[in-house]
Amino acid sequence: MIAGLKATLRRPRVRAGLTIAGFAVLALGAVWAIATMDLTWSDLSPLHVLLNLALLTPVLLAVSALSLKVTFGAMGRELSIATSLHTVAAANVAELLPLPGGALVRGAALVKAGARVGEAARVVLLTAFLTLGLTLALSAFALGLLTDPLWHWIAAAALAGVGVVLFMLSRHAAPGYLLAMVAVRLLSLFVTTLRLIVAFAALGTAIGWTEALLYSAAPTVGAAVGIVPAGLGINEAIAAGLATLVSGSSATAFLAVALNRALGLAVGAAMALGGSFWRPRA
C-alpha cells in the first residue's frame, strides 16, 4: 500500500498538481501571515533583506557546493568548485519541477563523473538522511532547551540514526571524509540559522540562536516529506507549527521561511542561468 502511494506521488501529473497546491498554500499562507501581522512594505528592513540576498544566501549555496564536492571526493571522484556550485544551484531550482529534480541532478552529476547508477543513488539517499538526522538532532535539542527536556531524548535518537548512516557511508568513504561530511553540514546549519535570524529581523522581529535553530528544521523536514515538490507551503507550515510550541508568532515564522525560500530561489536561479552560459569543466 505504501509502495503504491509512493509510486502515485512520483507520477509527473500528480506532482504537477501537488506543485500547484503547494504554491496555493504558500500564497494563501503569506496573505494570512501579512494580514495577521498587519505588515506593510515600510515595515521591511531593506538592509537585512540585502544582507540575506547578497551575502548569506550565496554563502549557503557555496557551503552546499562544498558538501557536494566532499561527497564526490568520498567516492574517489573529482569535482571543481565551479561545477559544484552550478550543480547545487540547478538542483535547488529543479526541486520545483514535477519530479524529484534535486536528487536527479545530484545523482546525474555523480554518474557523469564515473559513479555507477546504483552507487550514486545510494550515496545521494544516505547523505540526505545524514542531513536530516543532524538537523533533527539539533532542532530537537533546541526545542528541549526552550520547552520540555524530554525533547533531548528525541535529539539523542536522531544522533543514533546519524551514527547508523555514518556506518553505512563508511562502505564508500574513509573516516576523514565522514568527518568532513558532518562538519560541512554543521556549517550549513549554522548559516541556515543565521539566515533565519536575519529573515526575522527583516520582518521587524528579533529572535535568539536557540529559537532560530529550532526553525532550521523546517526546510529539511519539508523537503524530506517529499509530498509536495520542494516542500512548497510545507516548510512554512512546519515553521508556523513549531512557533506554537515555543509561544512564538506563527505568522512571522511562516513569512521568515517563505522569505528565505524566495531569496534562495532567486540566487539559485541566477547561478544556474549563469552556469548555462558558462559551463565549467568538472
Side-chain angles (χ1 to χ4, degrees), residues 119-214:
E119 181 186 26
R122 187 163 53 251
V123 169
V124 168
L125 180 62
L126 287 174
T127 51
F129 277 130
L130 178 61
T131 301
L132 179 62
L134 287 170
T135 303
L136 287 178
L138 291 176
S139 183
F141 179 74
L143 188 56
L145 292 177
L146 293 168
T147 57
D148 191 337
L150 181 63
W151 285 97
H152 290 160
W153 289 101
I154 305 298
L159 283 178
V162 168
V164 172
V165 173
L166 287 174
F167 175 75
M168 297 176 71
L169 280 170
S170 66
R171 300 172 57 186
H172 304 276
Y177 276 109
L178 295 179
L179 288 175
M181 285 180 178
V182 172
V184 76
R185 279 163 176 77
L186 292 177
L187 178 59
S188 178
L189 278 169
F190 171 79
V191 179
T192 297
T193 303
L194 183 56
R195 286 186 75 222
L196 282 166
I197 291 175
V198 173
F200 271 85
L203 298 171
T205 302
I207 62 171
W209 281 92
T210 305
E211 187 176 353
L213 184 59
L214 168 64

Side-chain angles (χ1 to χ4, degrees), residues 39-103:
L39 192 68
T40 64
W41 284 109
S42 60
D43 295 321
L44 286 175
S45 169
L47 178 62
H48 287 98
V49 173
L50 182 61
L51 174 63
N52 207 338
L53 175 66
L55 179 61
L56 295 180
T57 301
V59 167
L60 182 60
L61 277 173
V63 173
S64 297
L66 178 61
S67 176
L68 186 63
K69 184 175 175 63
V70 169
T71 301
F72 269 66
M75 298 178 67
R77 313 294 176 185
E78 289 295 328
L79 185 71
S80 70
I81 193 65
T83 301
S84 186
L85 271 172
H86 179 250
T87 301
V88 297
N92 285 352
V93 177
E95 291 287 0
L96 294 174
L97 298 175
L99 46 87

Side-chain angles (χ1 to χ4, degrees), residues 3 26 33 40 83 107 118 143 151 167 207 221-222 226 228 250 257 269 275-276 279:
L26 185 60
T40 64
T83 301
L143 188 56
W151 285 97
F167 175 75
I207 62 171
V221 175
V228 178
S250 296
V257 173
S276 67
R279 294 187 177 276

